[in-house]
């Protein structure tokens, strides 16, 4: 449907159907940002998008440009929490440019709601991709030139705390079918997490990964579980294995030797072939049957 500038004022309340509550989760992913659409008043369309981590529950609300502030956004979020099929326990947002405003809007929303700035908002990314492909181009006032990538300034990675440093690491791989068919599941990934597998990948593809071996595997895995792990990056120029967490924090996990640099190149190519999909494993030793933690991750172009 085309949306004119004069329709942007009133929120269109999300319609909740009782069946939404069955699959909806208590983990929300949120974005408040301008879209590549200009209203009749010459102002950019701003939207509040909120979905749950399963994608069952989705809420879209246009916000007039002059009302994009923490008070207005908070009011809309509080209203949504009241009406939602499942009350959120965690709310994540990835957009660094909006950090200050959202941090204030989301502060102290009520007992039991945690706010986590994080780039692991995979369901929201998928939804934004869909909207950029199918929704915004159909709107009156669509201006593709306004679609912007968020360029993160790449900070120099911090050293891992000594207590968490892994003794060694290896580049490894795993058939995607193991994940899709449930061979890798919540029972055998320790305190890890599995991100949604993007559509359109071949079952027989091999997923690239990094395995860290350390005597402190439990501590490292628990630390990662609480760190909003986003993705792993082999920085070939700097010859560094970097772990990205939160909105913009980077940890230096290892330096790459010449051989590892070549393997790192293959690791990055493997990620690119599978829409950014890759994994991290934490294990006590190569002989261990079980991992302390396994994370299926996705590096996204934001």
């Amino acid at each position: 449907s085309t949306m004119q500038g004069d329709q942007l004022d009133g929120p269109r309340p999300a319609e909740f159907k009782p069946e939404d509550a069955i699959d909806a989760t208590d983990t929300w992913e949120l974005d408040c940002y301008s879209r590549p659409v200009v209203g009749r008043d010459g102002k950019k369309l701003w939207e509040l998008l909120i979905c749950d981590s399963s994608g069952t529950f989705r809420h879209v609300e246009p916000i007039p440009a002059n009302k994009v502030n923490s008070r207005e956004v908070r009011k809309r979020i509080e209203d949504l929490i009241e009406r939602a099929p499942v009350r959120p326990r965690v709310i994540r947002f990835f957009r660094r440019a909006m950090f200050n405003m959202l941090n204030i809007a989301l502060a102290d929303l009520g007992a039991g709601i945690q706010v986590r700035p994080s780039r692991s908002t995979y369901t929201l990314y998928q939804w934004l991709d869909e909207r950029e492909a199918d929704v915004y181009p159909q709107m009156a006032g669509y201006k593709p030139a306004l679609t912007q990538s968020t360029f993160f300034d790449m900070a120099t990675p911090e050293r891992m705390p000594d207590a968490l440093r892994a003794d060694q690491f290896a580049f490894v791989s795993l058939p995607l079918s193991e994940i899709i068919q449930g061979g890798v599941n919540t029972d055998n990934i320790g305190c890890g997490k599995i991100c949604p597998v993007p559509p359109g990948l071949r079952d027989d593809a091999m997923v690239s990964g990094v395995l860290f071996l350390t005597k402190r595997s439990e501590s490292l895995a628990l630390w990662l579980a609480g760190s909003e792990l986003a993705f792993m990056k082999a920085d070939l120029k700097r010859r560094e294995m970097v772990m990205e967490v939160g909105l913009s924090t980077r940890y230096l996990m290892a330096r790459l030797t010449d051989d590892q640099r070549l393997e790192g190149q293959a690791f990055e190519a493997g990620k690119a072939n599978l829409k950014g999909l890759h994994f991290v494993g934490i294990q006590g030793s190569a002989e261990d049957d079980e991992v302390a933690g396994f994370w299926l991750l996705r590096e996204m172009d934001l």
Side-chain angles (χ1 to χ4, degrees), residues 163-223:
L164 297 171
R165 234 180 261 134
D167 306 315
Q168 53 187 140
F169 85 99
F171 289 105
V172 288
S173 60
L174 179 78
L176 183 58
S177 55
E178 276 290 301
I179 293 157
I180 293 174
Q181 290 159 17
V184 173
N185 59 61
T186 46
D187 294 335
N188 59 19
I189 59 172
C191 55
K193 229 169 156 186
I194 298 174
C195 78
V197 174
L201 302 182
R202 292 174 45 156
D203 279 18
D204 61 358
M206 293 300 282
V207 186
S208 300
V210 184
L211 182 64
F212 290 101
L213 300 175
T214 169
K215 294 187 278 295
R216 299 177 284 257
S217 58
E218 296 298 322
S219 313
L220 178 56
L222 281 169
W223 181 80

Side-chain angles (χ1 to χ4, degrees), residues 1 9 20 31 56 64 74 94 96-97 108 128 132 135 143 149 161 175 178 193-194 209 251 253 261 264 288:
S1 65
D9 288 348
D20 283 352
D31 187 34
T56 306
R74 182 186 184 85
F94 73 89
R96 218 169 113 193
D108 308 318
L128 275 169
E132 278 164 12
V135 177
K143 300 269 185 295
S149 288
E178 276 290 301
K193 229 169 156 186
I194 298 174
Y251 285 105
M253 296 299 286
R261 189 163 175 261
D288 284 8

Side-chain angles (χ1 to χ4, degrees), residues 60-80:
V60 180
E61 193 169 324
I63 301 182
N66 62 346
K67 294 209 168 157
V68 178
N69 61 54
S70 51
R71 199 178 59 250
E72 288 286 338
V73 170
R74 182 186 184 85
K75 217 159 64 186
R76 287 162 163 79
I77 294 166
E78 285 176 332
D79 178 49
L80 190 61

Side-chain angles (χ1 to χ4, degrees), residues 75-151:
K75 217 159 64 186
R76 287 162 163 79
I77 294 166
E78 285 176 332
D79 178 49
L80 190 61
I81 289 171
E82 287 307 306
R83 295 183 297 121
V86 176
R87 183 181 166 83
R89 195 178 46 83
V90 175
I91 302 178
R92 290 188 170 88
F93 67 90
F94 73 89
R95 198 139 341 229
R96 218 169 113 193
M98 302 303 288
F99 176 79
N100 290 342
M101 192 271 279
L102 288 176
N103 221 19
I104 296 167
L106 295 167
D108 308 318
L109 275 175
I113 299 179
Q114 294 178 31
V115 177
R116 297 198 191 150
S118 172
R119 285 172 284 176
S120 62
T121 47
Y122 303 111
T123 308
L124 179 58
Y125 296 146
Q126 196 68 45
W127 185 24
L128 275 169
D129 280 350
E130 283 171 32
R131 291 183 68 75
E132 278 164 12
D134 307 331
V135 177
Y136 305 131
Q138 305 305 316
M139 288 183 171
Y142 174 60
K143 300 269 185 295
L146 293 177
T147 308
Q148 67 262 62
S149 288
T150 320
F151 289 107

